[in-house]
Amino acid sequence: MLRFILKRILMLIPVVIGVSIIVFILMQLTPGDPAQILLGPQAGEEDVQNLREQMGLNDPLIVQYFRFLIGIATFDFGTSIQDGQPVLQQILSHFPATIKLTLAAMVVALLIGIPIGIISSTKQYSFFDNVSTLGGLVGFSMPNYWLSMMLILLFSVQLGWLPVSGYGGLIFLVLPAISLGTQTAAVFLRMTRSSMLEVLHSDYIRTARAKGITERKVVYAHALRNALIPIITVVGLQVGALLEGAILTEAVFAWPGIGRFMIDAINAKDFPVVQGSVVFIAFVFVFVNLLVDILYAYVDPRIKAQYK
């Protein structure tokens, strides 16, 4: 098992380097001069050039990239242009709120998507199956920000049951979690249904039924475990989608996470913060996918055997 994990970790190194290259190039292509932003529009050309020299912005791009890469390796993401605070420290202060929202949205998606997907697969072409399939299509098609505004309009403005925005107790988490988790729930529903249908039509399932095993045991003890592998893959990928969607959701609900922090940094053209936040989120996504790969080995020993 240790060998399997080490191989997966080594395979992540090129991914991390690739992410760092893409982020660095995108930030170089972004209009705006960090030195000019830091000094303000009234600063003279000489002062701007002196600051550019101090910040290393006049160095060749390859030198700047390796400085950026070394900073990542040593967890030094630079300092914010706005307030001069270390970027990593600011990211870590906003990260708990984003993780709280992401986990809540994932719970919403799992609780809705997987049970409905299982029931839908066992009642194929029934009324429940048709309604749930249509619901999954609608849920997947709804833009995150549009659903957020509709939920606010209904539950906050019209009914007055839940707060419009803010951060605090569980009551503030309900609408953002539902808004962020709905699209993911639709993905889980469709994936669970299709994966379960494929397994339920397998020969060994027919054999289990022929032996007189109860349908409940066939579905939950024999079919579900084998259907879990593609579902686990989607769960890992959806973590990235949730982190991406959290940017808009946090902005709509004034949630103090990394997403809102990034939008504020983009508006202020705070390049180190934007750059550091993107890299940090990419690292989280890569780490989650590593955990998913390890989970594969426990769910399906055949995958682990390939690395022996």
Side-chain angles (χ1 to χ4, degrees):
M1 188 64 190
L2 181 62
R3 188 178 174 187
F4 168 77
I5 295 174
L6 287 175
K7 281 190 175 181
R8 303 307 283 176
I9 291 174
L10 289 175
M11 290 170 66
L12 293 180
I13 294 176
V15 176
V16 172
I17 293 175
V19 169
S20 69
I21 292 173
I22 293 172
V23 172
F24 179 78
I25 292 174
L26 288 177
M27 294 311 298
Q28 293 298 320
L29 295 175
T30 304
D33 186 344
Q36 183 71 61
I37 295 169
L38 190 61
L39 292 174
Q42 305 301 326
E45 181 62 26
E46 184 178 353
D47 293 333
V48 173
Q49 287 302 322
N50 288 336
L51 185 56
R52 285 184 60 84
E53 191 67 30
Q54 291 177 20
M55 296 173 69
L57 298 176
N58 291 330
D59 294 337
L61 285 179
I62 189 69
V63 174
Q64 293 185 48
Y65 169 70
F66 276 104
R67 190 187 301 131
F68 170 62
L69 193 60
I70 292 171
I72 292 175
T74 56
F75 299 102
D76 179 9
F77 289 5
T79 56
S80 168
I81 292 177
Q82 294 183 85
D83 53 21
Q85 296 295 316
V87 171
L88 183 59
Q89 181 181 327
Q90 292 185 312
I91 291 174
L92 292 177
S93 68
H94 290 82
F95 188 54
T98 297
I99 282 294
K100 186 177 179 181
L101 175 58
T102 303
L103 289 178
M106 182 61 79
V107 169
V108 168
L110 290 171
L111 290 179
I112 295 175
I114 291 184
I116 295 179
I118 293 173
I119 297 171
S120 187
S121 66
T122 57
K123 301 179 183 297
Q124 190 179 14
Y125 304 134
S126 66
F127 177 74
F128 181 88
D129 183 32
N130 292 331
V131 171
S132 63
T133 302
L134 179 63
L137 183 63
V138 172
F140 185 75
S141 305
M142 282 191 293
N144 191 322
Y145 61 90
W146 182 84
L147 179 60
S148 299
M149 290 188 286
M150 292 300 104
L151 290 174
I152 290 174
L153 188 63
L154 177 61
F155 292 102
S156 301
V157 178
Q158 296 293 332
L159 300 175
W161 291 353
L162 296 166
V164 175
S165 62
Y167 181 74
L170 192 62
I171 194 170
F172 290 93
L173 189 59
V174 175
L175 290 186
I178 293 174
S179 170
L180 185 59
T182 297
Q183 205 168 52
T184 302
V187 174
F188 290 164
L189 190 159
R190 297 171 69 180
M191 177 55 69
T192 303
R193 180 183 180 276
S194 62
S195 182
M196 283 290 292
L197 281 175
E198 184 178 346
V199 174
L200 287 172
H201 288 92
S202 302
D203 290 340
Y204 77 94
I205 293 294
R206 279 193 285 269
T207 303
R209 284 171 173 155
K211 290 168 67 178
I213 298 175
T214 61
E215 186 64 19
R216 183 183 182 85
K217 192 172 182 180
V218 168
V219 171
Y220 292 99
H222 295 275
L224 184 57
R225 179 167 183 174
N226 287 302
L228 274 179
I229 295 177
I231 298 171
I232 291 172
T233 306
V234 175
V235 169
L237 294 174
Q238 284 302 308
V239 171
L242 288 177
L243 288 172
E244 177 189 339
I247 295 174
L248 288 176
T249 304
E250 289 177 2
V252 173
F253 290 98
W255 192 264
I258 291 181
R260 188 181 170 201
F261 180 54
M262 279 181 64
I263 289 180
D264 291 341
I266 290 170
N267 291 330
K269 295 188 177 179
D270 195 337
F271 296 101
V273 170
V274 177
Q275 194 169 255
S277 299
V278 173
V279 170
F280 184 83
I281 290 175
F283 281 1
V284 172
F285 182 60
V286 168
F287 179 71
V288 169
N289 277 275
L290 172 64
L291 294 181
V292 169
D293 286 345
I294 295 172
L295 191 57
Y296 280 164
Y298 281 106
V299 175
D300 188 352
R302 292 173 298 180
I303 297 174
K304 184 171 61 177
Q306 295 175 3
Y307 290 85
K308 288 183 178 178

